[in-house]
Amino acid sequence: MKKHRSLWHRISVIVFPVFLLGEFLYFSGCSFKAPQAPQWDVNMAIPLMDTTLTLGNLLKDTQDVTFDSSGLLGFEIEESMDPVEVGDNLSVENIAEKYDVTLGDIKIDSPGSQSISVQFVSIYPPSASLNGQSTQVPAFSIALDKTEIPPFADFESVLIKQGTLTITLQNHLPVPIASGLGINLYDFNTDTLVMAILSEQEIPVNGSIRLERSFANKRLPGHLSFQISGGSPGSGSQSVTINTSTQGIDLAVSVSDMIASEARAKVPDQEFEDTDYADLGDSIIVTEADISTGSISFTMQNNLPLDLDLTIKLLDFFNASGDTFQAHLYLGKRKQVFKYYDLSGFKFRPERTAGGSAARFEWKAKAFGSGDSLVTIHASDGISLAVDMPKLAFSKLSGILNRIHVQMDSMSTSLDIPDGLEGLQFGDARIALELTNGIGFLIQPTLNIVGENTKTGQTASIHRTVTINPAGAQPSVTTVILKGSEVTNFLNVLPDKINVSGSVILGDGTTESTVRSTDKIASKVTINLPANLKFPDQAIKLDPDTLEIDQDAQDEIRDNANSGAFHAELGNHLPFGGSVSFYFSSLDTAVFSHPELTIGPITLNPGITSDEGGVIQETSSTIDIQLDKEQLLVFAHPKVYMAMKIAVPGSGEKFVRVYRNDYLTAKAYIKANYHVNPEGKK
């Protein structure tokens, strides 16, 4: 603190009141003794000061000192923390999901049928010798060896999830085929049984049977063989004509309504689709939001042996025209592709879920058929899809904020206590927390106020959590007044460093409202210390001032001064007493350290106070202190530096009230007595 410079009277010329005796009387006709020059003593006054020192003057350079409308002294700090703009916190972040979308059921076109004819001679060898004859044919058994069926051209192997195997047998024999005919199908390449079928009806001459069997969860090879076993009752007593070149049986095998889970085949176009979602969590439950910045990227791997056309829809994202976001992608077989899309400017209306809200995705894929090429394909084949939304920031949000924690910027300030008053104690103090809620949601700020006296190492802290209602048409302002022993103890450590930090919880998890990114939360801390104070012991040194002594005065003091006196009239309108000392030196740097003349300490009585501790009447005192010639010699210099020190013993345990216009008055001068001898005789 810059010490107050009191208002000293500067003396450029000192005028001495010398009274001369003139000889104006002439006495004619009279005779006298020869006249002698008169001699006398004269007093010379050296004015020192005539000043009033108010408390306002003394503390005018201390920035935190305040005075209320009545002039009552106090200290006040008012600091505002940087507003919290909710924009940075209106976002959902790190939405990343991975999906495997499988082809599922594989549709395989019906491969048609494969047929084979077996001549009568292979079924009944004796017919070879009867060719062209009309004869009776006895009953005989049928035991046909495995016979190859021409392979299917459209597939090599199919693991059928669903399908119908149809065997058609036409009897071109001259005799009927008895019921109980067994037909076994084999994998031609591995000679393993594929299916055994039993006919329970007789097949008449030129008749046929159609045998259908479900072919589920079985592997159907594209190359089959068959084996027939059974019998014929023969022609009985009837003669039949034998023609081995035209008589026999025709066997046809076909598969229809085929859905495969695995195949090595010519695959037609396939279509598959899926819907999924990415969970947004429950911290922000979005009903509708305007996206200020955001993006989405897709990394897709086509695991199919087929080229793929993919359409992705973000069901909850809408452009300015109200259209759902849609992307079309082409993926080559077994290829990967990455795509990035800007979502800025889109509206977001996610689906509400039990746990919050979710962004839904829908994709439809068309896999192009393999044409005339055989491919190996599985129901588990499909696409791998990674969806990444690093951050969606909203300029406007309607929904629910579920206790979102937002850190406030910290603020640091100091309390500027004047030099010498470091021991102040405050009997009545308060801290006002003014919190402004500019958003449409309830908020709960928590402020941490930590004070430190860096000279003593003492610390103290105050913590407060406040609930503030949502803003309406205007921001909602809540002022919390903290007072009492907690605040007094905090401030009585005289913190010269005060740090304020905190956080804010946004929303209560149930109330739905609307907020914009420009909405703010503001906070201001006001520390007010009114002047109900205990003052400490202290000593206030005022800056030296200069007395300029002219040459004649210097000579008279040096040559003719006898003695002198210090005269002072002091008035005290402060609620505490003390003492005043005056220091004089011919060197400006030695006024306090090595004074040539010290006067005092002179006791000051405290002003008369009311019951509240404020001064209602000044006390005054008059001081006269004798000075000898040696003490006066300090004024026999061209310049004399004078300073004043005020020592205050403090108010002890008593609380006092001090006002701006409380004051000390000081009027002082030096009286020097010297002897006048016109003839120069001392």
Side-chain angles (χ1 to χ4, degrees), residues 1 24 62 106 130 138 169 171 261 288 325 351 353 370 395 407 483 501 552 554 571 581 586 591 609 622 647 674:
M1 171 188 125
F24 300 105
T62 305
I106 305 169
L130 300 175
L169 189 147
N171 182 11
S261 55
E288 180 174 294
F325 176 93
E351 184 178 60
T353 66
S370 63
S395 58
Q407 196 67 31
K483 55 185 179 179
S501 61
D552 290 341
Q554 296 175 46
S581 299
S586 59
V591 177
T609 60
T622 301
Y674 69 95

Side-chain angles (χ1 to χ4, degrees), residues 287-288 397-401 439-442 470-471 511-515:
T287 300
E288 180 174 294
L397 168 72
S398 295
I400 297 172
L401 302 183
I439 73 173
F441 292 88
L442 179 143
T511 304
E512 184 164 348
S513 187
T514 299
V515 63

Side-chain angles (χ1 to χ4, degrees), residues 527-540:
I527 300 175
N528 185 271
L529 314 175
N532 187 15
L533 311 170
K534 287 181 182 179
F535 272 82
D537 295 344
Q538 57 191 291
I540 303 172

Side-chain angles (χ1 to χ4, degrees), residues 20 23-24 62 74 413 426 479 609 614 634 657 660:
L20 301 178
E23 296 178 304
F24 300 105
T62 305
T413 187
F426 303 100
T479 300
T609 60
V634 69
R657 298 171 72 84
R660 180 198 299 270

Side-chain angles (χ1 to χ4, degrees), residues 44 53 159 169 196 203 272 306 319 333 357 472 542 563 638 660 666:
M44 174 179 63
L53 181 64
L159 180 59
L169 189 147
I203 307 173
F272 58 102
L306 308 173
N319 62 19
K333 59 178 72 79
S357 53
L542 302 181
S563 62
R660 180 198 299 270

